[in-house]
Amino acid sequence: MCRTRASVPVVTGAWWIVVLNWNGREDTLACLASLRDLEGEPVHVVVADNGSTDGSVAAIREAFPEVTLIENGANLGFSGGNNAGIRHALEHGADWIVLLNNDATLNPDAIDALRRAAAERPDAGAFAGKLFFAEPPDLIWFAGQRFSPLLGYSGRPRGYRKPDGPQFRERVPVDRAAGALMAVSRPALERAGLLDEDLFAYVEDVDWSLRIREAGFALLLEPTAIAVHRVSGSTGGERGSTYAMYYGLRNMIAVCDRHRPLPRPLAALRRWELWAVFMAQALLLSEGRGPFVRAVRDGYRDARAGRYGERPSSSPA
């Protein structure tokens, strides 16, 4: 258990933070250090490690003995790795679970902000936190986002690369949360289920958000729950990677087909449209575009064939 400074409690119930680590030792240590400064009632912290080989496990045990550490023994992806932590939290009485990326640091009052939001909006099954870039500082990365399963289109997150302002300081409904900082209630988990492990990584938070909303719960941005995020530190940064290209296209096709099924010709057109968007991104790279093109090709092929889970080692990301 991560003990915190005392303050007036705002809502009862056990809150757990789940942090996934995969060869991200320094980021994870910084993330956990930020959790020692949390204000309010005690918060439980569990780190799920996806078979890291960089000394993460030993370093976490030494520096943060109060944290529960789960060793998955292999890379289970974002979905499988986080699900191990979520299951542990639920088995130990969690009422709310907060997913926090290991390359993010949480503001001291963020969990208290989520507690207040949960008390004031009992219809909510999930809250999206507000994320700022680590570099450049003071610019928003995520303040909610729309999503159209009909088109497979999200656009930029609200506030993307803008300074904070009044329009981003209101609690508003959003179509999807970002798995880098989101809180989900036990009732929402019981009705919507855990993260989809077939998706492995990328777009799984979109799918989860849609399932939570389809289960009848509100999904809201809580603008006072704030973290600073070193975007996509484990998979190549914000400009993306072949990892992001492959899973992003494959899983976007799967999520759109699942949540907005269309007649076969229209479904094929939507898949082609998504392929074209990702392929254009790959071809616009000034150099080294070959692996990116292959990642898009493989993601499209595997989506059409219904092949999910981890990308085959014969076509490494």
Side-chain angles (χ1 to χ4, degrees), residues 36-271:
R36 279 184 168 163
D37 293 329
L38 290 177
E39 299 169 355
E41 295 181 326
V43 179
H44 304 266
V45 179
V46 56
V47 175
D49 182 78
N50 263 357
S52 295
T53 58
D54 67 345
S56 291
V57 169
I60 292 166
R61 279 209 180 101
E62 180 179 358
F64 299 95
E66 73 275 20
V67 167
T68 300
L69 181 62
I70 297 173
E71 295 185 58
N72 292 327
N75 183 11
L76 305 182
F78 185 89
S79 297
N82 273 304
N83 280 348
I86 293 169
R87 290 188 187 99
H88 178 90
L90 291 174
E91 289 166 2
H92 289 79
D95 295 295
W96 279 85
I97 291 169
V98 179
L99 291 194
L100 178 65
N101 263 29
N102 73 313
D103 56 0
T105 54
L106 200 58
N107 277 16
D109 60 351
I111 300 300
D112 264 2
L114 290 167
R115 285 191 175 109
R116 284 191 295 272
E120 293 167 6
R121 289 296 303 264
D123 61 319
F127 291 97
K130 184 161 65 177
L131 292 137
F132 285 81
F133 284 98
E135 288 294 338
D138 303 321
L139 296 184
I140 293 171
W141 177 66
F142 183 92
Q145 195 167 13
R146 58 182 173 168
F147 178 73
S148 168
L150 175 63
L151 301 175
Y153 178 75
S154 292
R156 291 289 194 187
R158 292 179 70 244
Y160 183 81
R161 288 197 176 272
K162 295 180 180 179
D164 203 3
Q167 68 272 38
F168 307 124
R169 294 174 182 158
E170 297 181 3
R171 186 184 298 154
V172 295
V174 293
D175 288 346
R176 51 90 37 124
L181 176 57
M182 67 182 296
V184 183
S185 72
R186 175 182 281 270
L189 282 161
E190 289 172 344
R191 287 172 60 179
L194 303 185
L195 291 158
D196 184 348
E197 297 186 15
D198 280 346
L199 298 180
F200 194 77
Y202 287 90
V203 199
E204 71 292 290
D205 50 3
V206 175
D207 173 68
W208 211 23
S209 297
L210 294 175
R211 284 191 281 125
I212 289 167
R213 292 170 54 216
E214 289 164 0
F217 295 94
L219 171 57
L220 305 166
L221 170 74
E222 179 43 57
T224 59
I226 293 172
V228 174
H229 189 207
R230 197 177 71 80
V231 180
S232 300
S234 65
T235 56
E238 191 196 9
R239 291 189 63 82
S241 63
T242 55
Y243 189 93
M245 287 284 192
Y246 172 81
Y247 289 110
L249 175 57
R250 187 197 70 178
N251 293 347
M252 184 64 76
I253 290 172
V255 168
C256 290
D257 287 350
R258 176 183 302 167
H259 292 280
R260 187 62 167 86
L262 295 172
R264 183 175 295 179
L266 292 178
L269 179 61
R270 180 171 60 195
R271 291 174 184 175

